[in-house]
Amino acid sequence: MQEIENSKSIETHQETIDLSLCTNCKSKSIEEGFPTKLCADCREYFIKYPIPKWIWLFSTIILLIMAVGVFRMPKYISAAYHLSKAEKAVDKKAYLTAQRELLLVLEKFPDNLDANANLLIASAHNHNYVLSNVAYQNIAEKEIKDNDLFKNIQNSMELLNADFPADTALYRRIKINKDSTENMMRIYDHLAYKNNIDQYIAGVYIADMLYDRKLYDEADKLLSKVLLTNQNYYPALGLLIGVKRNLKQYDEAIEICNRILAENSEDVSVIAQKSRTELKRSNDTKAAEYAAEAMNLNPDDIYAMESQALVDYYANRKTEYKKLITKIKIAEQGGDPIISNRIEQIILGKVTYR
């Protein structure tokens, strides 16, 4: 019994001694004041222990990757954000917003397939031929695997092609006969084969001449012919709004505007047409709302500025409409000053708008 007690006493004493020794060398007493039980010599050794070169190399590589990520990640995040917004805008047929968002993506990634494909779709609906051509060149040789996207691209190309005649001499042939409405109509009738794009283009071109001559009934009949064979032909619908407005068929004009806006909710020129139509029938409050909407979408659009200038004129805001007319004239430099002349004729009393 006495031997067992002696043995336990020795073990306890041994443990006490072990706890006071360095956990590394097991021979020297620990240095007090530190959580790690090391003697002074061992502590100094570990502090000076060299870090292996491979750890330094690995750490350097990780730091470089992190540095690159810090600089490049915002670029990718920003592009993804704007592309997402653009695709949602295309789905909502808000093509002006889509176009702007896609241009932000392409600033950073000019060869991005999805961005260029959607830019082609958006710019085609906005009738922006420069942007649509750039987008087309960037996707022409690439495979489009998304069937819905491919179908939208095809529809957009058809929309663009509808603005250009197959007969390159078509406009010149009609101009030669512009003194005679009968001769112009005869040219249109000669292009009688159904669904021919030149027939549509000729019809709108002749109707535009009739419109300039204030032959609104004749223009209405001709545009109706065009729309019988192609009910969604954009140039015909756009001109028909003005024809209906001048025939004082205001509800019909607004209905055509809404029909176009159902396909492109941000068509600034059509929203401006709505403003001018409401202004003509003296609904100034509505006219001001539509003019503000058009200006908000694109304050540099010449048709938006025209509608706002007319709203300001009838609201007797002389300073405002004069500034807009000046801005319109600057935009028209190098071209035909149709819009500024049209406004000034109303302001000078040469044309009775309402």
Side-chain angles (χ1 to χ4, degrees), residues 204-243:
V204 173
Y205 189 62
I206 294 167
D208 190 47
M209 291 182 180
L210 296 172
Y211 180 91
D212 288 342
R213 298 180 191 183
K214 297 182 172 56
L215 300 172
Y216 303 122
D217 284 316
E218 289 83 348
D220 190 10
K221 290 173 186 174
L222 182 53
L223 291 171
S224 297
K225 272 187 178 183
V226 172
L227 292 168
L228 275 175
T229 53
N230 188 344
Q231 62 180 352
N232 295 315
Y233 187 49
Y234 181 85
L237 289 171
L239 181 57
L240 189 58
I241 296 168
V243 170

Side-chain angles (χ1 to χ4, degrees), residues 55-65:
I55 292 180
W56 282 113
L57 180 62
F58 182 75
S59 301
T60 304
I61 291 171
I62 293 297
L63 287 172
L64 284 172
I65 291 172

Side-chain angles (χ1 to χ4, degrees), residues 57-104:
L57 180 62
F58 182 75
S59 301
T60 304
I61 291 171
I62 293 297
L63 287 172
L64 284 172
I65 291 172
M66 289 176 66
V68 170
V70 165
F71 286 104
R72 296 188 66 178
M73 191 59 71
K75 178 180 176 181
Y76 286 100
I77 292 172
S78 173
Y81 171 73
H82 290 297
L83 182 58
S84 176
K85 282 187 71 175
E87 288 174 342
K88 288 176 182 176
V90 168
D91 289 340
K92 292 178 181 178
K93 299 182 178 180
Y95 292 113
L96 189 59
T97 294
Q99 182 175 294
R100 287 171 177 162
E101 294 295 329
L102 291 163
L103 287 174
L104 292 174

Side-chain angles (χ1 to χ4, degrees), residues 299-332:
D300 296 319
D301 183 88
I302 197 164
Y303 299 108
M305 289 190 285
E306 177 190 22
S307 64
Q308 185 62 59
L310 288 172
V311 166
D312 289 337
Y313 168 69
Y314 283 108
N316 201 30
R317 293 190 288 265
K318 192 172 183 179
T319 303
E320 285 83 350
Y321 76 69
K322 280 191 171 183
K323 283 182 181 178
L324 282 170
I325 293 172
T326 300
K327 194 174 176 182
I328 290 169
K329 286 180 176 179
I330 292 170
E332 289 177 323

Side-chain angles (χ1 to χ4, degrees), residues 2-3 27 33 43 48 56 72 118-119 126 181 186 192-194 200 212 215 224 247:
Q2 185 64 40
E3 290 179 0
S27 61
R43 189 177 303 282
K48 294 181 177 180
W56 282 113
R72 296 188 66 178
N118 280 289
L119 181 61
N126 292 328
T181 301
R186 195 175 295 118
Y193 33 98
K194 194 175 180 181
Y200 309 148
D212 288 342
L215 300 172
S224 297
L247 289 172

Side-chain angles (χ1 to χ4, degrees), residues 41-259:
D41 291 339
C42 288
R43 189 177 303 282
E44 187 177 356
Y45 171 77
F46 282 119
I47 289 171
K48 294 181 177 180
Y49 186 78
I51 298 173
K53 290 183 178 180
W54 70 268
I55 292 180
W56 282 113
L57 180 62
F58 182 75
S59 301
T60 304
I61 291 171
I62 293 297
L63 287 172
L64 284 172
I65 291 172
M66 289 176 66
V68 170
V70 165
F71 286 104
R72 296 188 66 178
M73 191 59 71
K75 178 180 176 181
Y76 286 100
I77 292 172
S78 173
Y81 171 73
H82 290 297
L83 182 58
S84 176
K85 282 187 71 175
E87 288 174 342
K88 288 176 182 176
V90 168
D91 289 340
K92 292 178 181 178
K93 299 182 178 180
Y95 292 113
L96 189 59
T97 294
Q99 182 175 294
R100 287 171 177 162
E101 294 295 329
L102 291 163
L103 287 174
L104 292 174
V105 176
L106 291 168
E107 278 181 11
K108 298 176 175 67
F109 301 99
D111 296 323
N112 184 276
L113 178 60
D114 286 342
N116 277 295
N118 280 289
L119 181 61
L120 175 59
I121 294 166
S123 57
H125 283 85
N126 292 328
H127 301 275
N128 189 320
Y129 306 117
V130 174
L131 282 181
S132 55
N133 182 58
V134 171
Y136 175 76
Q137 296 300 325
N138 286 333
I139 67 170
E141 302 299 325
K142 296 179 181 178
E143 182 183 2
I144 309 293
K145 294 181 180 179
D146 186 327
N147 289 332
D148 290 335
L149 182 61
F150 184 72
K151 186 183 289 185
N152 282 337
I153 291 171
Q154 284 185 313
N155 292 337
S156 300
M157 291 301 297
E158 289 176 9
L159 192 64
L160 287 168
N161 291 334
D163 291 340
F164 300 97
D167 179 1
T168 55
L170 182 66
Y171 291 124
R172 186 170 55 82
R173 286 167 55 201
I174 296 172
K175 270 189 174 181
I176 291 170
N177 295 287
K178 67 181 180 179
D179 59 323
S180 168
T181 301
E182 292 76 16
N183 283 343
M184 287 191 293
M185 293 300 293
R186 195 175 295 118
I187 290 172
Y188 175 77
D189 290 334
H190 283 167
L191 299 167
Y193 33 98
K194 194 175 180 181
N195 294 327
N196 177 266
I197 191 61
D198 286 354
Q199 185 184 17
Y200 309 148
I201 292 174
V204 173
Y205 189 62
I206 294 167
D208 190 47
M209 291 182 180
L210 296 172
Y211 180 91
D212 288 342
R213 298 180 191 183
K214 297 182 172 56
L215 300 172
Y216 303 122
D217 284 316
E218 289 83 348
D220 190 10
K221 290 173 186 174
L222 182 53
L223 291 171
S224 297
K225 272 187 178 183
V226 172
L227 292 168
L228 275 175
T229 53
N230 188 344
Q231 62 180 352
N232 295 315
Y233 187 49
Y234 181 85
L237 289 171
L239 181 57
L240 189 58
I241 296 168
V243 170
K244 293 293 186 184
R245 180 171 59 243
N246 283 288
L247 289 172
K248 298 185 179 180
Q249 297 173 9
Y250 304 121
D251 288 337
E252 289 88 339
I254 294 295
E255 184 181 346
I256 297 166
C257 289
N258 291 336
R259 183 173 159 188

Side-chain angles (χ1 to χ4, degrees), residues 270-283:
V270 173
I271 296 169
Q273 286 253 50
K274 286 182 81 171
S275 175
R276 289 179 59 203
T277 301
E278 294 294 357
L279 200 63
K280 193 169 178 66
R281 64 172 164 187
S282 299
N283 190 350

